Amino acid sequence: MLNVIILDDESKAIQSLEWELKSFCPNVCVLATFTNPFDAKDFLLNNSIDCIFLDIDMPQMDGFRFLEFFPQREFSVIITTAYDQYGIQALKMQALDYLLKPIDSDDLIKSIEKIRAYKNSTNIKDILEDMLLNINTLQTINSRKINISCDGKIYFLEPNEILFCESDGNYCNVFLENGQKLFLTQILKNIEEKLPKNIFYRVHNSFVVNLNKVREYQKNEGYLVLTNGKHIPVSRTKKGLFLEK
């Protein structure tokens, strides 16, 4: 069963696509439909799907801007539009297919086949990823690397390669000693749980730091300075345990 959603500012277009999916595409479940892109965004942040059928021309936010909220997405994207000038941009945004309205049933069936093929290939990649992660887990605590998924890759990092991690709402950034910054589509708490607690500490609601990289602590101002010169605030409730550590 493929689980899909539809985002289109026109209710009639949604109804038409729902009917075609029900009539010509067995084993496809439309989990939800949206005319408001912000409602669709909230849904995707809390639910797993196989594909979104996405309209481009919407008054509140066009479809390509909507996809910018999901730079690392695990679902396929099928562009639906009445215009044919967006093909190249659709490719750049890694859309799986491009359907012109009114949508032809044969074209829709081919798109569904592409979604299934993509899902199967993704399942194989997931198995390989699990194998890699399990190998890493079997290492001793002292030699274990930290695995971080970012930009379609899995980074295996030595703990001391990480300077600090910073929350960015529902996302977070990991700053490395070599100056690289990794943008992750997950909350800070998820990354914190991967880090060895003997050298990493959450000194503030928005910051987890590598204690080996702390150069000084400014007591009056209430912030620490890392080896790269970065100033990190220390909350009052965390100060005592931070100094103890």
Side-chain angles (χ1 to χ4, degrees), residues 11-203:
S11 298
K12 289 184 178 179
I14 291 177
Q15 293 170 4
S16 175
L17 180 52
E18 275 194 290
W19 181 85
E20 289 208 59
L21 287 169
K22 183 178 180 180
S23 301
F24 302 106
C25 305
N27 297 321
V28 174
C29 176
V30 180
L31 293 180
T33 63
F34 303 92
T35 56
N36 185 311
F38 297 99
D39 291 340
K41 174 191 169 188
D42 291 340
F43 181 89
L44 287 174
L45 290 174
N46 296 286
N47 295 275
S48 176
I49 67 167
D50 295 308
C51 179
I52 178 173
F53 287 87
L54 178 64
D55 185 30
I56 293 300
D57 294 284
M58 296 181 289
Q60 290 177 289
M61 178 192 305
D62 71 55
F64 294 124
R65 187 180 164 207
F66 176 83
L67 290 178
E68 291 176 2
F69 288 114
F70 303 96
Q72 292 178 271
R73 53 184 179 265
E74 296 180 356
F75 53 86
S76 303
V77 177
I78 305 295
I79 298 297
T80 61
T81 178
Y83 306 97
D84 60 2
Q85 69 263 36
Y86 299 117
I88 293 177
Q89 195 168 355
L91 289 174
K92 289 182 178 179
M93 297 301 291
Q94 299 180 331
L96 191 63
D97 211 346
Y98 187 95
L99 296 175
L100 285 174
K101 299 177 182 177
I103 296 173
D104 180 79
S105 58
D106 290 336
D107 291 337
L108 180 60
I109 292 170
K110 291 177 183 177
S111 291
I112 295 299
E113 291 173 353
K114 289 182 181 180
I115 298 170
R116 294 192 193 282
Y118 176 81
K119 183 179 180 180
N120 290 336
S121 66
T122 301
N123 287 340
I124 294 171
K125 288 190 291 183
D126 289 342
I127 293 170
L128 292 174
E129 286 185 15
D130 288 342
M131 290 173 61
L132 284 169
L133 298 182
N134 288 336
I135 290 170
N136 189 50
T137 302
L138 291 173
Q139 298 178 29
T140 65
I141 291 176
N142 290 332
S143 64
R144 184 181 301 161
K145 293 185 178 182
I146 298 158
N147 56 77
I148 294 178
S149 297
C150 177
D151 296 331
K153 309 172 187 175
I154 301 178
Y155 290 85
F156 293 94
L157 303 173
E158 299 286 351
N160 269 328
E161 289 185 77
I162 300 174
L163 286 173
F164 68 99
C165 308
E166 181 180 7
S167 174
D168 185 9
N170 289 324
Y171 311 105
C172 70
N173 294 295
V174 176
F175 294 83
L176 306 184
E177 195 166 39
N178 64 6
Q180 187 177 5
K181 180 177 76 171
L182 304 179
F183 175 75
L184 312 183
T185 56
Q186 53 185 302
I187 60 175
L188 180 60
K189 183 180 178 181
N190 292 347
I191 298 302
E192 181 185 9
E193 291 174 349
K194 293 186 175 185
L195 303 173
K197 292 179 174 53
N198 59 324
I199 62 171
F200 284 89
Y201 184 61
R202 193 161 185 166
V203 297

Side-chain angles (χ1 to χ4, degrees), residues 201 237-245:
Y201 184 61
T237 58
K238 302 285 189 179
K239 174 183 174 183
L241 189 54
F242 160 68
L243 291 174
E244 181 181 330
K245 281 181 169 288

